[in-house]
Amino acid sequence: MRTTETAPDLLEQARAWLAEDPDPQTRAELAELIAAAEGTGDGALGDNGSDTGSDTGAEAVESRSAAAAELADRFAGPLTFGTAGLRGALGAGPNRMNRAVVIRAAAGLASYLRTEGAAGGSVVIGYDARRNSRVFAADTAAVLAGAGLRPLVLPEPLPTPVLAFAIRHLGCVAGVMVTASHNPPQDNGYKVYLGDGSQIVPPADTGIAAAIASVGPLAEVPRGQDWETLGPEIVEAYLDRAAGLLGPGPRDVRITYTPLHGVGGAVVRAALRRAGFAEPEVVAAQAEPDPAFPTVAFPNPEEPGAMDLAFELAERTGADVVLANDPDADRCAVGVPTPDGVRRLTGDEVGALLAVHLLGSGARGTLATTIVSSSLLGVVAARRGEPYAETLTGFKWIGRVPGLAFGYEEALGYCVDPVAVADKDGITALLRIAELVATQKRAGRTLLDLLDDIAREYGLHVTAQHSVLVRDLSQIDATLHRLHTHPPQVLGGRAVERVDDLSEPADSLPGTPGVRYGLAGGARVVIRPSGTEPKLKCYLEVVVAEPGEDLAAARGGADADIEALLADLADLVG
């Protein structure tokens, strides 16, 4: 019969990792996996690997094969340190999130900071409520202290925007946030900011990655105990700043809110109180931090079903608006109750609402969004006489736009106070939306009425997405090459008038994998690989420049055009 053997060098790598793993839990996990792969664990085969034909022998072969495959995956290579830092499933091995990986990341970051002239500087460290987040934060503090830096640890699990705020507020040379944001429960992550308060971009990411790769044995990484745990004053400073963003005006709004088992709940409630709003109705089953995220299939407010409990509560209580954060509260989702149920707004719709509201409140400066977000923001900026910038995807780019007044990305990320938080902030965005809802309510209107006004003034912009799971990652480059070199002539009944290879730098933007089709009538399709999942993502937009007074008819036509595009993309991409 056939058995699956584990390569000797893989077993050697696993044993070497086991020897220096500082975590008893992951050591035990890895030791069991090694034993299973060797066939020396419970239910394993005999020394010669033979099988007498019994069911027990067959099961042992299968178990050994599965263990070998799991080891191969865990040691396929280290987690890649990029512009989003590190993110992956918890577990033992270099291709997982664990204490050994975090210690190396912290040592590499410390080395990079010293090289860049930041020796002895303060580094603020935050963490969410996911499994091992507090432990990873403590390991980071110990390593940074051992390297002569001054670690400042946030006092409890807190939202990512509080960490981003603290970097500038405290004058730090860097910041670390231990979070996997809205990833599945089994994941954790490690996000790095430099002293400007923005997430890292090239070449800082490659510099830190190289420093991490140069870290020697873990036993030789110095650790210290001289770090400071900050008190509640840092949260108070953030709340003062957040509440101070709002101007005088009505506060009469009934809010349904969910933090989706994340860390946003207490800070959001305190921010609403400080800004003069009544206590929101909070989804009880999702109110407290819980790393298992038991009530949602995927803890992302963009996902279908994630906000269902909030929608049900809003309908029972007669809410004016439904607001949600993702688990680390750097994103904000909005739902508007209607007679036909709650309508969840798209990220592009919320971005337009916030832009118009901020401009109406006196904000001046550059409006910025990404190449995959709606083109509506550019129209608003041009009509209002404000600068406009388009960046690559991610707030690591938006947060660095000079003179930024407001920035957003379609994935529910909004920056309404770039002076204090140069990153997406789901809490200050939430406050601004609550303020806008109250203003509209006093006039007998809703956010949907304001969206109608925006469509009439700036044109109707309808956006949608289509994602394709890619099982063979090597096919992504081949697919993008095909889409660029052999583009369709027509999509959704519209002529393809322009094809842009986004991997080529253009319009002051660096290259990024992807292709963009400009279609007749101002429609657009962008296709790019996901930065966090094995997917190709398609971003669609249809524009009706002059929708007229019958907006329902215009929307119906635009929706039909979107459906036609989606049908063609399903054939084109998969």
Side-chain angles (χ1 to χ4, degrees):
M1 64 157 294
R2 181 175 58 86
T3 62
T4 300
E5 299 293 338
T6 306
D9 59 337
L10 177 58
L11 288 172
E12 289 175 10
Q13 291 178 56
R15 291 190 190 100
W17 186 275
L18 180 66
E20 64 172 10
D21 190 334
D23 188 335
Q25 182 175 339
T26 47
R27 278 205 311 274
E29 172 190 312
L30 185 56
E32 183 177 345
L33 196 56
I34 292 170
E38 291 178 314
T40 58
D42 291 342
L45 299 176
D47 289 343
N48 63 0
S50 62
D51 175 19
T52 62
S54 69
D55 290 341
T56 301
E59 291 170 0
V61 170
E62 184 177 348
S63 174
R64 185 172 180 179
S65 177
E70 178 68 12
L71 269 184
D73 183 59
R74 289 171 181 244
F75 286 85
L79 283 178
T80 301
F81 189 94
T83 53
L86 297 168
R87 195 173 292 185
L90 292 163
N95 197 28
R96 297 289 188 271
M97 281 295 298
N98 51 65
R99 292 185 64 195
V101 165
V102 166
I103 289 168
R104 289 185 180 280
L109 174 61
S111 174
Y112 175 84
L113 291 174
R114 290 197 306 268
T115 300
E116 294 296 307
S122 298
V123 180
V124 62
I125 303 163
Y127 57 98
D128 66 11
R130 284 180 179 263
R131 295 185 178 98
N132 278 4
S133 286
R134 190 189 300 268
V135 173
F136 293 163
D139 281 334
T140 300
V143 171
L144 295 181
L149 291 153
R150 181 171 172 253
L152 307 172
V153 182
L154 294 185
E156 59 186 337
L158 285 166
T160 294
V162 176
L163 180 280
F165 167 82
I167 296 168
R168 287 186 169 183
H169 182 72
L170 299 173
C172 296
V173 298
V176 172
M177 183 69 194
V178 180
T179 180
S181 188
H182 53 275
N183 271 40
Q186 64 268 24
D187 288 4
N188 212 328
Y190 197 84
K191 186 182 293 187
V192 175
Y193 299 74
L194 293 182
D196 60 358
S198 297
Q199 297 177 47
I200 56 171
V201 295
D205 57 343
T206 54
I208 296 172
I212 293 171
S214 298
V215 175
L218 288 189
E220 297 177 7
V221 174
R223 323 283 170 88
Q225 297 296 323
D226 187 18
W227 72 75
E228 179 183 351
T229 299
L230 299 172
E233 64 278 356
I234 188 63
V235 180
E236 291 297 310
Y238 173 82
L239 290 171
D240 284 343
R241 176 75 189 193
L245 296 175
L246 278 60
R251 298 291 190 267
D252 177 22
V253 56
R254 191 162 194 172
I255 299 169
T256 292
Y257 171 70
T258 176
L260 285 184
H261 300 293
V263 294
V267 178
V268 164
R269 292 195 297 271
L272 286 168
R273 286 194 301 270
R274 194 160 300 196
F277 294 98
E279 191 76 12
E281 294 278 357
V282 180
V283 178
Q286 299 172 336
E288 297 302 320
D290 187 337
F293 304 106
T295 68
V296 291
F298 202 88
N300 180 354
E302 289 184 286
E303 292 292 320
M307 293 176 64
D308 282 358
L309 292 180
F311 292 169
E312 293 168 8
L313 178 60
E315 291 173 353
R316 292 198 306 270
T317 60
D320 299 310
V321 67
V322 181
L323 300 171
N325 291 128
D326 66 339
D328 69 327
D330 65 350
R331 301 171 191 244
C332 177
V334 181
V336 180
T338 77
D340 300 319
V342 179
R343 180 162 99 73
R344 182 173 54 182
L345 303 186
T346 68
D348 286 316
E349 288 174 326
V350 177
L353 288 168
L354 284 169
V356 169
H357 180 48
L358 291 171
L359 290 171
S361 301
R364 295 294 178 268
T366 301
L367 307 183
T369 191
T370 71
I371 58 173
V372 301
S373 300
S374 172
S375 60
L376 174 56
L377 190 66
V379 179
V380 172
R383 296 275 184 89
R384 296 295 187 94
E386 299 297 335
Y388 171 72
E390 200 169 87
T391 75
L392 299 184
T393 57
F395 262 85
K396 57 186 176 284
W397 302 108
I398 296 173
R400 286 182 160 76
V401 170
L404 183 66
F406 169 68
Y408 91 93
E409 60 181 355
E410 45 72 40
L412 308 184
Y414 315 98
C415 177
V416 302
D417 184 22
V419 172
V421 180
D423 195 13
K424 55 185 177 290
D425 183 343
I427 299 170
T428 51
L430 182 149
L431 289 180
R432 281 298 206 175
I433 287 293
E435 178 187 39
L436 181 55
V437 173
T439 301
Q440 294 298 305
K441 182 181 179 180
R442 184 171 63 177
R445 292 158 47 89
T446 72
L447 295 181
L448 299 181
D449 295 314
L450 183 53
L451 283 172
D452 285 348
D453 292 346
I454 291 171
R456 292 188 183 97
E457 184 172 357
Y458 303 105
L460 177 63
H461 294 65
V462 178
T463 58
Q465 288 189 33
H466 173 66
S467 293
V468 181
L469 185 64
V470 180
R471 301 195 180 279
D472 182 356
L473 294 181
S474 67
Q475 290 302 305
I476 289 180
D477 288 343
T479 299
L480 291 175
H481 179 73
R482 170 177 61 81
L483 293 173
H484 174 239
T485 57
H486 297 87
Q489 298 300 305
V490 177
L491 275 177
R494 294 169 180 257
V496 177
E497 298 179 337
R498 177 174 174 175
V499 180
D500 297 323
D501 179 5
L502 299 179
S503 66
E504 296 293 330
D507 300 326
S508 76
L509 295 181
T512 186
V515 62
R516 177 171 54 198
Y517 298 141
L519 312 181
R524 181 211 66 194
V525 173
V526 179
I527 305 170
R528 60 178 287 271
S530 168
T532 57
E533 301 171 280
K535 289 180 178 180
L536 274 173
K537 301 186 75 173
C538 308
Y539 304 83
L540 296 70
E541 181 175 35
V542 168
V543 179
V544 183
E546 297 182 1
E549 287 303 312
D550 193 349
L551 282 177
R555 282 199 174 90
D559 288 342
D561 288 346
I562 287 286
E563 290 302 318
L565 286 172
L566 286 170
D568 281 359
L569 280 172
D571 293 334
L572 182 68
V573 182

